[in-house]
């Protein structure tokens, strides 16, 4: 019996490795790889496909696929409302106005342009996300940075740092860690603040070490001024509304986003509140359709690896290799943080979500320790990963190799990971 169990464990590990390889090689999209791996893992672990109702127990059909597909329902709702808010921000010209106001404030000084435009990017991505906004920001921010003599790879890195830092405070993302790992919302918020501070330190160091104080060679002409919407100061503050509601008033992410939508329309176009809200909801759903499908796949993977039969198989192995001290926890996950790259096992929006549940089942680390390890390594993935859509888009606009961005930013993102892990080790391990 022990030999059969060992063979099954090996087969599950091989399956994980094969699917990582297929995703890295772009032979199988993540949106299909995750649910397939969830079902395959359950099959290898011996979870029955279907059993008579009177027998009860977990099955592939009802638990892995059925319950798994709806496991992240809360996250999906928050994502839809986040997509709606993002669409309102775009439609009303707020994101574009923030960047242009920041550019006017910075003038033509390289340091000022680097800091202010990165901050503006972070503010925008605290409220929105997706490939469309990345393209919009890249078309404006990168030319402005290049015209000030900032090197293309550095400009690209700063845009990605801005996107990542803003994402730490995008409340639409928080529910994911509650649903997948069982993290406490207060812990998510406090860790976001710590990681945000560490990200600011990393950005400052990145600018000081890579940007010349005075303007040098212009790498790109300034973009021509186009027609833009006039946006009042109350509208410019719209991205901060959901953050304040969640962090200060303890509102849920979903309610905060809905209030933010209403506020934004009221201060920009109150006479067409119904039209703007309805069109933003429909278009927002379209924008997050791919992410929603990914959430369904992640849910199936989560239930596949958290099924009783799978946990019974993997618990001894995972329990034996998991960190049992705070120091080992920090060292291990800092060293292994590059495994979040290339759709690796520490990518929370890939195999990492499944691996996290196996870690939790081992019982050696709390949900806070496991979840924050993935959030911490997620900074490495969010800024430096060449397989990210946003990295490919930014690299294309900056005319640099996406792997050059990886080399340029990796030491700084590992630093942010280290700080987040130290914080978790001290207060939550």
């Amino acid at each position: 019996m022990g030999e059969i169990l060992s063979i099954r464990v090996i087969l599950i590990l091989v399956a994980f490795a094969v699917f990582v390889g297929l995703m890295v090689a772009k032979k199988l999209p993540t949106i299909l790889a995750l649910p397939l791996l969830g079902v395959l893992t359950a099959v290898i672990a011996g979870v029955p496909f279907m059993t008579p109702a009177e027998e009860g127990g977990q099955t592939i059909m009802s638990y892995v696929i059925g319950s798994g597909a709806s496991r992240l329902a809360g996250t999906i709702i928050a994502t839809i409302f986040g997509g709606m808010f993002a669409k309102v921000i775009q439609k009303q010209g707020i994101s574009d106005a923030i960047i242009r106001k920041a550019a006017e404030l910075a003038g033509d000084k390289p340091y000022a342009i680097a800091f202010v435009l990165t901050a503006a990017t972070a503010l925008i991505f605290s409220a929105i996300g997706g490939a469309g906004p990345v393209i919009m920001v890249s078309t404006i921010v990168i030319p402005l940075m290049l015209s000030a003599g900032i090197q293309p790879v550095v400009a690209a890195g700063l845009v990605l740092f801005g996107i990542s830092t803003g994402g730490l405070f995008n409340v639409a993302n928080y529910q994911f860690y509650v649903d997948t790992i069982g993290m406490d919302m207060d812990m998510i918020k406090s860790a976001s603040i710590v990681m945000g501070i560490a990200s600011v330190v990393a950005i400052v160091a990145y600018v000081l070490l890579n940007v010349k104080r005075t303007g040098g060679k212009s790498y790109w002409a300034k973009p021509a001024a186009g027609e833009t919407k006039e946006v009042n100061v109350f509208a410019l503050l719209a991205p901060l509304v959901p953050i304040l509601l969640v962090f200060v008033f303890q509102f849920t992410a979903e309610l905060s986003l809905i209030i933010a939508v209403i506020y934004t329309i009221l201060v920009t176009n109150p006479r067409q509140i119904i039209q703007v809200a309805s069109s933003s909801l429909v278009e927002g759903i379209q924008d997050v359709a791919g992410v929603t499908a990914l959430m369904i796949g992640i849910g199936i993977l989560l239930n596949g690896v958290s099924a009783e039969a799978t946990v019974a198989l993997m618990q001894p192995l995972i329990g034996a290799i998991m960190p049992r001290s705070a120091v080992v926890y920090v060292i291990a996950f800092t060293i292994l943080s590059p495994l979040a790259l290339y759709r690796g096992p520490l990518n929370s929006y890939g195999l990492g979500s499944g691996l996290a549940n196996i870690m939790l089942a081992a019982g050696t680390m709390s949900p806070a320790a496991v979840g924050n390890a993935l959030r911490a390594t997620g900074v490495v993935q969010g800024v430096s990963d060449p397989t990210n859509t946003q990295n490919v888009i930014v690299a294309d606009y900056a005319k640099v190799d996406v792997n050059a961005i990886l080399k340029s930013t990796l030491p700084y993102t590992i630093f942010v990971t280290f700080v987040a892990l130290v914080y978790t080790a001290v207060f939550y391990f």
Side-chain angles (χ1 to χ4, degrees):
M1 179 64 71
E3 184 177 346
I4 294 175
L5 292 178
S6 298
I7 292 174
R8 287 182 173 180
V9 170
I10 293 172
L11 287 175
I12 290 174
L13 294 176
V14 169
F16 268 72
V18 169
F19 275 79
V20 168
L22 290 173
M23 287 188 288
V24 170
K26 298 184 178 180
K27 299 295 184 183
L28 186 65
T30 305
I31 202 169
L32 294 178
L34 299 185
L36 289 174
L37 180 58
V39 172
L40 179 59
T41 300
V43 170
I44 295 172
V47 179
F49 180 75
M50 180 174 64
T51 57
E54 60 270 15
E55 294 184 20
Q58 295 177 339
T59 65
I60 291 175
M61 188 171 73
S62 65
Y63 179 72
V64 177
I65 299 176
S67 298
S70 60
R71 175 163 175 167
L72 301 184
T75 303
I76 291 172
I77 295 300
T79 301
I80 289 173
F81 288 160
M84 180 184 182
F85 181 45
K87 211 65 190 178
V88 173
I89 292 289
Q90 285 182 268
K91 279 177 172 289
Q92 304 310 110
I94 295 172
S95 51
D96 182 80
I98 289 173
I99 294 174
R100 295 190 183 279
K101 293 287 185 184
E104 292 173 7
L105 178 66
D108 59 356
K109 299 175 182 178
Y111 272 10
I113 286 177
F115 286 127
V116 173
L117 290 183
T118 303
T121 301
L123 177 60
I124 290 168
F125 280 89
S126 68
I128 64 179
V134 173
I135 293 172
M136 183 273 296
V137 168
S138 297
T139 58
I140 302 173
V141 171
I142 290 178
L144 288 170
M145 288 189 178
L146 298 183
S147 68
I150 298 174
Q151 293 184 346
V153 70
V154 178
L158 287 172
V159 169
L160 291 167
F161 268 117
I163 293 172
S164 174
T165 305
L168 293 172
F169 297 95
N170 192 323
V171 299
N173 300 330
Y174 290 178
Q175 193 64 35
F176 175 79
Y177 294 94
V178 175
D179 290 343
T180 58
I181 303 174
M183 292 180 70
D184 179 74
M185 185 61 79
D186 287 336
M187 192 275 166
I188 294 174
K189 291 188 289 187
S190 63
S192 296
I193 294 172
V194 172
M195 293 170 68
I197 294 172
S199 293
V200 170
V201 173
I203 290 168
V204 170
Y206 189 71
V207 171
L208 293 179
L209 293 174
N210 294 282
V211 177
K212 295 180 180 179
R213 184 181 296 272
T214 56
K217 174 185 176 183
S218 175
Y219 290 89
W220 202 334
K222 289 186 178 180
E227 184 179 349
T228 59
K229 289 186 178 181
E230 286 296 324
V231 178
N232 61 59
V233 66
F234 297 105
L236 292 175
L237 296 175
L240 297 177
V241 172
I243 298 175
L244 291 174
L245 292 176
V246 169
F247 279 79
V248 178
F249 298 101
Q250 310 298 314
F251 283 22
T252 63
E254 296 90 339
L255 179 57
S256 299
L257 290 164
I258 288 297
I259 293 174
V261 166
I262 296 171
Y263 166 85
T264 306
I265 300 175
L266 287 176
V267 298
T268 54
N269 194 3
R271 294 184 179 180
Q272 296 186 352
I273 185 170
I274 300 299
Q275 294 89 330
V276 175
S278 57
S279 64
S280 296
L281 177 59
V282 172
E283 293 175 28
I285 291 174
Q286 293 173 342
D287 285 350
V288 301
V291 177
T292 300
L294 180 62
M295 296 298 180
I296 293 172
I298 289 175
I300 293 173
L301 173 63
L302 289 174
N303 278 19
V305 300
S306 63
E308 294 172 358
T310 308
V311 171
L313 277 175
M314 302 301 296
Q315 192 171 21
L317 172 62
I318 300 299
I321 63 176
M322 283 296 96
R324 296 182 181 275
S325 74
V327 173
V328 174
Y329 168 82
V330 172
I331 295 174
F333 279 104
T334 300
I335 293 174
L336 295 175
S337 59
L339 291 179
L341 302 170
Y342 298 101
R343 309 294 178 182
L346 291 183
N347 184 327
S348 57
Y349 286 89
L351 298 181
S353 54
L355 182 62
N357 274 252
I358 297 177
M359 292 180 189
L360 289 173
T364 60
M365 292 194 297
S366 67
V370 173
N372 220 37
L374 287 183
R375 285 200 79 198
T377 57
V379 176
V380 172
Q381 185 267 331
V383 176
S384 305
D385 192 349
T387 64
N388 281 341
T389 301
Q390 63 198 38
N391 289 55
V392 174
I393 292 171
V394 171
D396 182 61
Y397 275 95
K399 306 300 180 187
V400 296
D401 179 31
V402 72
N403 291 295
I405 299 174
L406 167 63
K407 295 175 184 177
S408 176
T409 60
L410 187 59
Y412 302 89
T413 53
I414 291 179
F415 163 77
V416 178
T417 297
F418 173 75
V419 172
L421 291 170
V422 169
Y423 166 75
T424 306
V426 171
F427 294 100
Y428 294 99
F429 187 78

